Amino acid sequence: MVNYSKYSVINSNVKIVKINNKYLIRKIIKNNVNLGVSQSFLNKLIQKYINQIRSAGINLPEIVNYKLGNDDITYYCIPKGENILEVFDLNELVFGKGKKFLSAAIKEIGKAVLNEVNLDPHIKNFVIENNEVSFVDFTPPYIDEFIDLRMSVALDSEKTIAKKNFEYFGPEYLYYHFVGDFFNIKKNISQTLTKEIYNLINQQTSIKGSFHQFINQSRKIRSLEDKRIRNGIFLY
């Protein structure tokens, strides 16, 4: 059985459950940081972020129910297929049968760019079902109210890294961020693969600067996120 929780960087507990003879994805979101607000308030921010994602036309699975806990929120979602990284290895994803799904994921990211929606564009956040790609990550809620809340309780030692990390989820960085996260999947990923991903992006939008400049920015974004994780700085 696939361990869905392994793709979370905020320690979410994600698994398939059967309720009333229907299979659902259960996602338990627990605070790693004391934000000083209720779960009800956090849920309102998450719901606002979900509405932003949907308004941009991004394919997001239906959330059928939620439950507020003392220090967590449980969401129940309609399953929309397998994680793209469980279906294809990197070579298949970039050059083989997965290429059309990679292009579809890039298209979903493009909707966020066009509609100025913050997003975590990591390829692990995409699933496949019946030739359709869906984006499944809606926490943390990358909206201004949440970012301001998280920064208000940040330690002095966290502020610079956290603030910049939040910026890198912004629309202007999403394509760079998307490619940068492939270095998280395979640290020594070949230039042949990253160049092809770059080319696929360039087919859908006009990228400013050279491939070399693009990859330098992508590496910079990934490097900061790795530093945040090493330092134990959680965004939620």
Side-chain angles (χ1 to χ4, degrees):
M1 182 176 290
V2 175
N3 176 14
Y4 294 96
S5 298
K6 72 181 181 181
Y7 295 112
S8 173
V9 295
I10 59 170
N11 295 332
S12 299
N13 184 294
V14 185
K15 67 185 298 185
I16 292 182
V17 296
K18 192 174 184 179
I19 300 176
N20 297 328
N21 292 318
K22 291 184 178 180
Y23 287 101
L24 297 172
I25 296 289
R26 186 189 70 190
K27 184 175 184 180
I28 302 175
I29 313 299
K30 197 163 188 172
N31 293 89
N32 297 286
V33 178
N34 183 0
L35 297 168
V37 296
S38 68
Q39 297 303 312
S40 176
F41 181 81
L42 289 172
N43 178 58
K44 288 178 182 178
L45 297 184
I46 291 169
Q47 296 293 341
K48 183 173 182 179
Y49 182 51
I50 288 169
N51 289 336
Q52 279 190 11
I53 294 172
R54 293 197 191 285
S55 295
I58 297 167
N59 292 328
L60 186 76
E62 181 185 355
I63 299 167
V64 297
N65 201 1
Y66 67 87
K67 182 173 67 176
L68 302 179
N70 291 327
D71 62 351
D72 59 42
I73 310 172
T74 301
Y75 293 95
Y76 295 92
C77 312
I78 299 294
K80 292 295 288 182
E82 295 183 75
N83 191 286
I84 199 168
L85 293 178
E86 298 290 338
V87 181
F88 306 108
D89 63 31
L90 285 183
N91 280 313
E92 290 174 325
L93 182 62
V94 179
F95 290 110
K97 294 180 180 179
K99 189 171 184 176
K100 66 178 181 180
F101 298 107
L102 179 60
S103 292
I106 293 169
K107 185 176 181 180
E108 294 302 298
I109 293 168
K111 295 175 183 178
V113 175
L114 181 64
N115 291 279
E116 299 186 336
V117 173
N118 294 350
L119 211 67
D120 182 353
H122 200 302
I123 190 64
K124 68 180 174 59
N125 291 327
F126 293 90
V127 298
I128 306 169
E129 182 180 63
N130 298 327
N131 288 322
E132 182 180 67
V133 169
S134 297
F135 179 78
V136 297
D137 188 52
F138 53 87
T139 57
Y142 295 110
I143 57 175
D144 290 343
E145 294 97 318
F146 177 79
I147 294 171
D148 289 344
L149 173 64
R150 176 61 184 91
M151 292 306 301
S152 73
V153 299
L155 302 174
D156 288 343
S157 59
E158 299 176 332
K159 286 181 179 178
T160 300
I161 294 175
K163 184 175 185 295
K164 197 64 183 177
N165 209 172
F166 275 126
E167 287 179 12
Y168 284 153
F169 293 106
E172 66 270 36
Y173 293 109
L174 290 184
Y175 292 124
Y176 303 101
H177 195 152
F178 179 67
V179 175
D181 281 338
F182 279 88
F183 292 100
N184 170 245
I185 300 168
K186 187 176 182 180
K187 190 174 182 180
N188 62 340
I189 186 172
S190 71
Q191 182 172 304
T192 303
L193 285 172
T194 54
K195 183 65 177 291
E196 184 60 20
I197 300 169
Y198 167 85
N199 289 338
L200 288 174
I201 295 171
N202 221 6
Q203 288 172 16
Q204 297 190 30
T205 187
S206 180
I207 300 174
K208 296 179 181 179
S210 66
F211 169 70
H212 178 71
Q213 291 170 321
F214 184 93
I215 287 298
N216 281 346
Q217 180 64 64
S218 296
R219 285 182 177 276
K220 182 179 178 182
I221 291 171
R222 185 63 236 178
S223 177
L224 182 79
E225 186 152 9
D226 288 341
K227 184 176 182 180
R228 176 181 63 77
I229 294 169
R230 283 196 310 273
N231 289 0
I233 302 172
F234 286 95
L235 297 183
Y236 187 89

